[in-house]
Amino acid sequence: MAYVQGLRCRECGRGYDIAPVYTCEWCFGPLEVSYDYDAIASVLSRERIASGPPSIWRYAELLPADRGNAVDLGAGFSPLVRADRLAESLGLGEVWVKNDTVNPTNSFKDRVVSVALSKALELGFKTAACASTGNLANSVAAHAARAGLASYVFIPADLEQGKVVATAVYGGNLVAVDGNYDDVNRLCAELAGTYRWAFVNVNIRPYYAEGSKTLAFETAEQLGWEAPDHVVVPIASGSLLTKIRKGFDELHRVGLLEREPQVRVSGAQATGCSPVATAWLEDSDTIRPVKPHTIAKSLAIGNPADGYFALDAVRQTRGGMASVSDEEVVEGIRLLARTEGIFAETAGGVTVAALKRLAEEGIVRPDERVVVYVTGLGLKTLEAVAPHVGPTATIPPSLDAFREVFDPDTEE
Ligand SMILES: *Cc1c(COP(=O)(O)O)cnc(C)c1O
Ligand SMILES: [Zn+2]
């Protein structure tokens, strides 16, 4: 906290004190946390980080809440695995998968929620709340339980069973709303004006969003303090993508990366909800809201709050974007599982399928060191792949029956 200067408007640059506020009263632009980077540079070192906990809190100096009172289930420091089989099947060179399926509630949302609820406690809130496409629900319910906070979690009523159960089990209030995420979000904006709750993606959003930077911090540390050439990131609200980019820039700013990072940032969306990718493909600055219809429910935000900033980041870094069909999403899940042994949820399928497309289009190149962000676990979206996979054979319990179907001796 010592290194946080305050909040600053991303549009007009106006400064604000640390408080549960999220839009500029001057221009309605979104607020962002600002830091004293010189002070951070004077204390932070690679050694100091290495001696910290194996979680997002090893980077506490670059986060807007104190490590001492953090609401910590152990989010972060997930494996960065070299993915040679995946690379070979896509005709690429050096590909790495950041496997964020292994977080405490099995998605990258644990990073943002750990920061958000830590801040909520510091600001004196007694109740946590959120509008969720699924993973945020799991994570807020779990971290609120851990912190002893009451919770109200709002979801679209048609969410995957796995995500409903993995939220309800933590015992807070779970409210299923008849409508899509954008309807839920609108309701939550009203509730946020009515109750004194810490709404992680409304009034606490500037702090929440900072948690995503840790994906960039870890990637650089795990690559031996080097930035990759190209990253592929799924887009829902667009916050994750913009913050991954910010994370690499900050590391350079505080002296942890010697060379200025030149990370190309590419975005991934499902065709059934692709307002940002559509604007990119049409070379437009306007993000037209859509009504989502895709199996990638965790990315199904039809009116993305940070869509413009994500688009801008992709343009500035000369990245690309792809939107992929639901069939390609399922194929992407299966390709990653088959080649690397990682079972991703539909958002991961979107990202891998987008990587495939971008490789085919020559936007992601074989001479680049590429990092792909796999942000959620496949067990949460079983219904997406269940119709496509099953036992190789069902047999009676006899050797003969097995031999009738399989002939392992003649296989290589
Ligand atoms: C929320 C989410 C994202 C993207 O988040 P934004 O910051 O809203 O763009 C990506 N993957 C998964 C699995 C998510 O749950
Ligand atoms: Zn402003």
Side-chain angles (χ1 to χ4, degrees):
M1 252 311 273
Y3 307 108
V4 171
Q5 290 174 325
L7 297 173
R8 195 182 304 128
C9 174
R10 267 154 90 181
E11 300 284 359
C12 75
R14 234 174 198 236
Y16 291 83
D17 290 338
I18 292 297
V21 292
Y22 62 108
T23 45
C24 177
E25 44 185 51
W26 192 249
C27 76
F28 302 107
L31 303 183
E32 188 168 52
V33 179
S34 61
Y35 298 86
D36 182 346
Y37 290 114
D38 293 338
I40 296 171
S42 69
V43 293
L44 200 54
S45 64
R46 294 173 181 179
E47 294 70 34
R48 178 164 163 148
I49 289 168
S51 69
S55 75
I56 61 166
W57 295 100
R58 67 204 276 111
Y59 312 103
E61 287 82 358
L62 288 162
L63 294 174
D66 270 335
R67 172 151 78 205
N69 307 310
V71 182
D72 187 9
L73 287 169
F77 220 60
S78 62
L80 180 71
V81 294
R82 177 85 187 236
D84 287 335
R85 286 179 207 280
L86 177 64
E88 196 190 338
S89 79
L90 300 179
L92 291 172
E94 186 178 340
V95 174
W96 297 80
V97 172
K98 183 67 170 157
N99 181 6
D100 240 19
T101 69
V102 302
N103 276 308
T105 74
N106 304 106
S107 85
F108 104 92
K109 289 294 196 303
D110 291 324
R111 299 173 181 275
V112 282
V113 170
S114 180
V115 174
L117 291 202
S118 301
K119 196 70 208 171
L121 284 185
E122 285 177 14
L123 293 168
F125 285 100
K126 300 281 185 282
T127 302
C130 71
S132 175
T133 56
N135 287 314
L136 189 61
N138 298 174
S139 190
V140 166
H143 283 85
R146 170 79 186 169
L149 290 164
S151 65
Y152 285 88
V153 167
F154 297 84
I155 54 170
D158 72 345
L159 217 55
E160 299 96 340
Q161 178 74 356
K163 288 185 180 163
V164 175
V165 174
T167 303
V169 72
Y170 298 108
N173 300 290
L174 175 60
V175 187
V177 178
D178 283 320
N180 61 32
Y181 174 79
D182 300 284
D183 299 320
V184 176
N185 204 32
R186 223 173 301 118
L187 168 64
C188 286
E190 273 185 70
L191 288 163
T194 308
Y195 300 103
R196 203 187 125 65
W197 294 346
F199 255 105
V200 304
N201 51 350
V202 186
N203 54 349
I204 306 297
R205 189 173 177 85
Y207 313 100
Y208 156 95
E210 290 293 287
S212 291
K213 296 186 305 188
T214 58
L215 270 169
F217 300 160
E218 287 173 20
T219 300
E221 185 180 355
Q222 289 168 321
L223 290 174
W225 292 108
E226 282 183 18
D229 301 313
H230 205 144
V231 296
V232 182
V233 186
I235 298 175
S237 71
S239 175
L240 171 62
L241 185 145
T242 46
K243 294 293 179 171
I244 284 178
R245 184 194 178 200
K246 184 184 177 196
F248 288 117
D249 289 344
E250 281 188 348
L251 290 182
H252 178 62
R253 190 117 185 232
V254 301
L256 291 168
L257 287 178
E258 271 146 39
R259 270 176 291 139
E260 190 174 345
Q262 306 276 346
V263 186
R264 299 175 69 202
V265 181
S266 286
Q269 292 203 297
T271 305
C273 183
S274 56
V276 187
T278 302
W280 188 82
L281 293 168
E282 293 176 353
D283 204 17
S284 159
D285 273 342
T286 315
I287 300 195
R288 271 179 285 115
V290 300
K291 232 186 178 58
H293 188 74
T294 169
I295 57 170
K297 293 177 197 258
S298 58
L299 302 180
I301 298 185
N303 188 12
D306 292 290
Y308 174 77
F309 295 102
L311 186 62
D312 194 45
V314 169
R315 283 203 183 123
Q316 281 188 22
T317 62
R318 296 171 304 106
M321 279 214 213
S323 81
V324 294
S325 69
D326 283 359
E327 292 73 49
E328 290 174 280
V329 173
V330 173
E331 249 322 294
I333 292 172
R334 297 180 67 184
L335 175 63
L336 180 65
R338 197 161 70 224
T339 54
E340 299 298 337
I342 296 171
F343 184 20
E345 71 146 85
T346 46
V350 168
T351 310
V352 171
L355 171 70
K356 180 168 189 283
R357 177 86 64 74
L358 293 167
E360 286 163 2
E361 291 173 349
I363 295 172
V364 173
R365 300 189 313 252
D367 63 322
E368 291 180 309
R369 177 190 271 177
V370 183
V371 175
V372 190
Y373 291 94
V374 171
T375 48
L377 179 68
L379 293 176
K380 295 209 221 187
T381 60
L382 278 181
E383 13 329 50
V385 277
H388 305 279
V389 297
T392 311
T394 303
I395 60 167
S398 81
L399 184 58
D400 284 348
F402 175 78
R403 282 191 165 148
E404 243 171 69
V405 184
F406 296 98
D407 193 5
D409 293 341
T410 62
E411 283 174 17
E412 288 183 68

